[in-house]
Amino acid sequence: MVNILRRKSKLFFINGTILTVTALSMRFATLIFNIYISNQIGSEAVGIFSLVMAVYLFFITVATSGLNIAVTVIVSEKFAISKEKTAVKAIRTCVFFSLLLGIVAGLLILLFSGFITDKCLHNMVSSKVLFYIAIGLPFIAMSSCITSYFTSVRKAYKNAITQVFEFIIKIIATVILLKLNILKGVEYICISLILADVISEICSFSLIFILYIIDIKLKKLNNVRSFGQRINIVKIAFPVALTSYIRSGLSTLKQLIIPTQLEKSGLSCSNSLSKYGIINGMVMPVITFPTALINSYSMLLIPEFSTYLAQKNYKAINYISDKIFKFTCAFSVCVCSIFLFFSNELGLVIYNNLETGYYFKLLAPLIFFMYIDNIIDCILKGLNKQFGVMCCNILDLSVTTCFIYFLLPIYGINGYIVSIFISEILNFGVSLLQMIKYAKIRINFIDWLMIPLVCSFISYFIISVFKFNVVNLTLSLIINIVLFIITYLFSFLIINRFCKNI
């Protein structure tokens, strides 16, 4: 039993490492590029593009409609009991449904283009942006299903290859289009960014579909031509889709009303979009960037836990959960501490702006809740509790939207900060209660929380005493952060070794 778990853990680690290295490399390059673009176009344009992306993400939700989750669950279960042909039938069905839903989502965004540009985007851009979004939706939906298949069969490297290819195409297209259009105004900037994304999605789908066909042939499953598992797909995808529509709709509504409600506090439209752009388009991407280190592992938890659930292997569920939380909490506290202790320096180095540094420090405590909540959600999805996860998100968004609606006109940007804290802590709390209920996991406060906090304070004390200060601010920041991380890791290993010996 232990040897089997070790082998599975090794395979899990290898797949997770492949995805993590790929995702981290791409996200780092993307972050650097986005920082450059943000500094070039300004916070107001960043705010407008953030609104466009909020609309984009909602229609992606409509296009996917939970089919990717259905693929993950069904393929994991069927491969676990050696019913590969049934799994392939389910994949074919999901890809076909995703194509239809992608087309429907594209038609919907075109049908309501006038309303969206007027009411949601403040007439800052035309419907051309929405037209390009509509083209990309079917390809995004189909890609999500095939990507879920490769995740389920533990072939993460194929997703990694596709992601790298997509990233390269996106960067090339973005650079070329922005070079042509960056001086033409905000609308053309948004068109350039969206069009580059659509081009990369189409190329990405083409590659991953070819890899899927090759994989099926190698498994000698290419003779499967029929569709199947429609009832199971609907059972899994329908509640996920329904709650996803509500969740994504509320999320989009929340993002769209923020600038409007900020205006009611006395800010101009330009200042409202600027403040919104600073937090959502500049600060939050940097804060969430380190999640690339754990996102790939967390997504791999879904098929792992689905397999254990199908086998009714609850000991494995508890064993893996304890290990995952121990290291995720340690990672989260470390990242949180870096943003808290080096906030001003980060703001100056990244954006040459102390205001962003202020928001780094203010939002740093949320990092712990955000990162751990991501892990909990994936565990619950793996335990086939997608509906509970969605209900939790809907509750969170409903409460947060109400706070935004009522707080922002009175307290302005401070009200928005409070609403972000309420959102993340509420989501984390409800998700944690669900995990304890369904997975029967016991919280280990000492290993998960106390040891990382002690390591953080030890590292901060050492950094305060031996802080490096050189002429170049960027170099000083890098040296001090590296010293902090090394001290943190060393402290973490020593304390854990000491506790283990006791």
Side-chain angles (χ1 to χ4, degrees):
M1 172 66 182
V2 175
N3 289 331
I4 293 173
L5 283 175
R6 284 177 178 173
R7 285 198 298 270
K8 284 186 169 289
S9 297
K10 184 178 179 180
L11 184 61
F12 176 83
F13 177 76
I14 292 171
N15 279 278
T17 301
I18 292 170
L19 286 176
T20 298
V21 171
T22 305
L24 185 61
S25 301
M26 291 192 301
R27 283 191 66 173
F28 180 73
T30 302
L31 179 65
I32 297 300
F33 186 73
N34 287 342
I35 289 169
Y36 169 76
I37 296 300
S38 298
N39 288 331
Q40 292 296 312
I41 67 178
S43 57
E44 182 181 355
V46 172
I48 296 168
F49 183 69
S50 297
L51 294 178
V52 174
M53 287 304 299
V55 174
Y56 192 8
L57 291 174
F58 171 74
F59 283 96
I60 288 176
T61 302
V62 175
T64 54
S65 293
L67 291 171
N68 55 331
I69 300 296
V71 170
T72 301
V73 174
I74 293 174
V75 171
S76 298
E77 290 179 351
K78 298 306 177 184
F79 269 76
I81 56 177
S82 301
K83 292 186 176 181
E84 291 84 357
K85 289 187 177 181
T86 304
V88 173
K89 290 179 181 180
I91 297 165
R92 286 173 56 83
T93 306
C94 287
V95 171
F96 177 70
F97 284 166
S98 64
L99 172 62
L100 294 180
L101 286 168
I103 294 171
V104 170
L107 292 175
L108 285 174
I109 198 171
L110 293 177
L111 182 64
F112 293 100
S113 59
F115 173 82
I116 294 170
T117 53
D118 181 33
K119 301 297 182 182
C120 302
L121 304 179
H122 302 268
N123 285 317
M124 293 290 186
V125 294
S126 68
S127 58
K128 289 181 181 179
V129 176
L130 304 178
F131 173 76
Y132 291 119
I133 290 175
I135 293 175
L137 291 173
F139 299 97
I140 294 172
M142 291 187 289
S143 291
S144 69
C145 290
I146 300 175
T147 299
S148 296
Y149 161 74
F150 284 125
T151 301
S152 301
V153 297
R154 280 75 166 176
K155 292 193 175 180
Y157 69 93
K158 296 193 176 183
N159 288 339
I161 291 170
T162 308
Q163 289 170 9
V164 171
F165 177 70
E166 178 184 339
F167 173 75
I168 293 171
I169 297 297
K170 184 175 182 178
I171 292 299
I172 293 172
T174 302
V175 170
I176 293 172
L177 291 170
L178 279 178
K179 187 174 181 180
L180 296 172
N181 298 316
I182 196 168
L183 298 178
K184 295 181 180 180
V186 173
E187 180 177 353
Y188 282 91
I189 290 172
C190 291
I191 288 175
S192 299
L193 296 173
I194 292 296
L195 183 57
D197 185 76
V198 171
I199 292 171
S200 66
E201 291 290 352
I202 294 173
C203 294
S204 172
F205 167 73
S206 301
L207 177 59
I208 202 167
F209 184 73
I210 293 170
L211 292 175
Y212 165 74
I213 295 298
I214 294 172
D215 190 76
I216 293 298
K217 285 183 178 180
L218 291 175
K219 287 186 172 67
K220 298 181 180 180
L221 297 170
N222 54 308
N223 59 338
V224 178
R225 291 287 182 267
S226 60
F227 295 88
Q229 295 291 301
R230 294 179 183 85
I231 295 176
N232 282 342
I233 290 169
V234 171
K235 282 182 179 179
I236 297 170
F238 180 73
V240 174
L242 187 62
T243 51
S244 292
Y245 298 153
I246 300 171
R247 177 184 59 81
S248 186
L250 287 170
S251 179
T252 302
L253 175 63
K254 183 182 79 171
Q255 297 301 322
L256 295 177
I257 67 171
I258 290 169
T260 303
Q261 297 305 101
L262 284 174
E263 282 186 63
K264 293 180 180 180
S265 70
L267 295 175
S268 65
C269 180
S270 177
N271 285 336
S272 298
L273 289 169
S274 178
K275 293 287 186 182
Y276 174 72
I278 287 173
I279 295 176
N280 278 65
M282 297 168 73
V283 173
M284 293 304 291
V286 177
I287 283 178
T288 56
F289 166 72
T291 56
L293 288 167
I294 59 173
N295 275 349
S296 301
Y297 287 104
S298 62
M299 289 305 295
L300 288 172
L301 289 175
I302 298 177
E304 289 294 330
F305 278 80
S306 292
T307 301
Y308 292 141
L309 185 66
Q311 298 170 346
K312 297 184 179 180
N313 191 348
Y314 298 105
K315 287 184 178 180
I317 291 174
N318 279 274
Y319 176 81
I320 296 295
S321 298
D322 182 69
K323 297 298 181 185
I324 288 292
F325 278 108
K326 180 177 180 179
F327 291 106
T328 304
C329 288
F331 173 76
S332 303
V333 171
C334 181
V335 175
C336 176
S337 301
I338 289 171
F339 278 100
L340 190 64
F341 300 145
F342 301 100
S343 56
N344 291 332
E345 293 91 336
L346 286 167
L348 288 172
V349 168
I350 297 173
Y351 293 113
N352 194 27
N353 187 338
L354 276 175
E355 186 176 9
T356 53
Y358 168 75
Y359 289 120
F360 282 144
K361 178 174 289 186
L362 204 60
L363 296 172
L366 286 178
I367 290 173
F368 178 83
F369 300 102
M370 293 166 63
Y371 290 13
I372 303 301
D373 183 58
N374 183 41
I375 295 292
I376 295 174
D377 283 356
C378 288
I379 290 175
L380 289 173
K381 288 175 182 177
L383 296 175
N384 203 19
K385 300 300 178 183
Q386 298 93 340
F387 185 74
V389 173
M390 292 299 177
C391 288
C392 172
N393 292 331
I394 290 170
L395 173 65
D396 157 37
L397 288 166
S398 301
V399 173
T400 308
T401 303
C402 291
F403 273 98
I404 287 173
Y405 187 83
F406 292 108
L407 286 180
L408 266 63
I410 301 172
Y411 299 106
I413 198 65
N414 292 328
Y416 181 40
I417 297 296
V418 171
S419 69
I420 294 175
F421 271 86
I422 292 170
S423 170
E424 297 298 338
I425 294 174
L426 177 64
N427 200 318
F428 168 80
V430 176
S431 297
L432 182 63
L433 291 175
Q434 287 188 83
M435 187 193 68
I436 293 172
K437 178 181 179 181
Y438 296 119
K440 310 297 183 183
I441 297 172
R442 293 183 179 181
I443 299 175
N444 189 337
F445 282 105
I446 294 176
D447 283 353
W448 297 2
L449 190 59
M450 296 305 298
I451 291 177
L453 286 175
V454 170
C455 294
S456 176
F457 284 117
I458 291 173
S459 303
Y460 177 67
F461 174 76
I462 292 174
I463 284 292
S464 300
V465 176
F466 300 103
K467 190 172 185 179
F468 283 87
N469 289 304
V470 296
V471 176
N472 188 290
L473 179 61
T474 303
L475 183 59
S476 293
L477 179 61
I478 293 172
I479 292 172
N480 287 312
I481 288 178
V482 170
L483 179 61
F484 180 89
I485 293 172
I486 292 172
T487 308
Y488 183 90
L489 288 173
F490 184 75
S491 304
F492 184 76
L493 292 173
I494 293 296
I495 293 174
N496 273 282
R497 175 68 64 179
F498 177 75
C499 291
K500 186 176 181 181
N501 289 336
I502 291 178

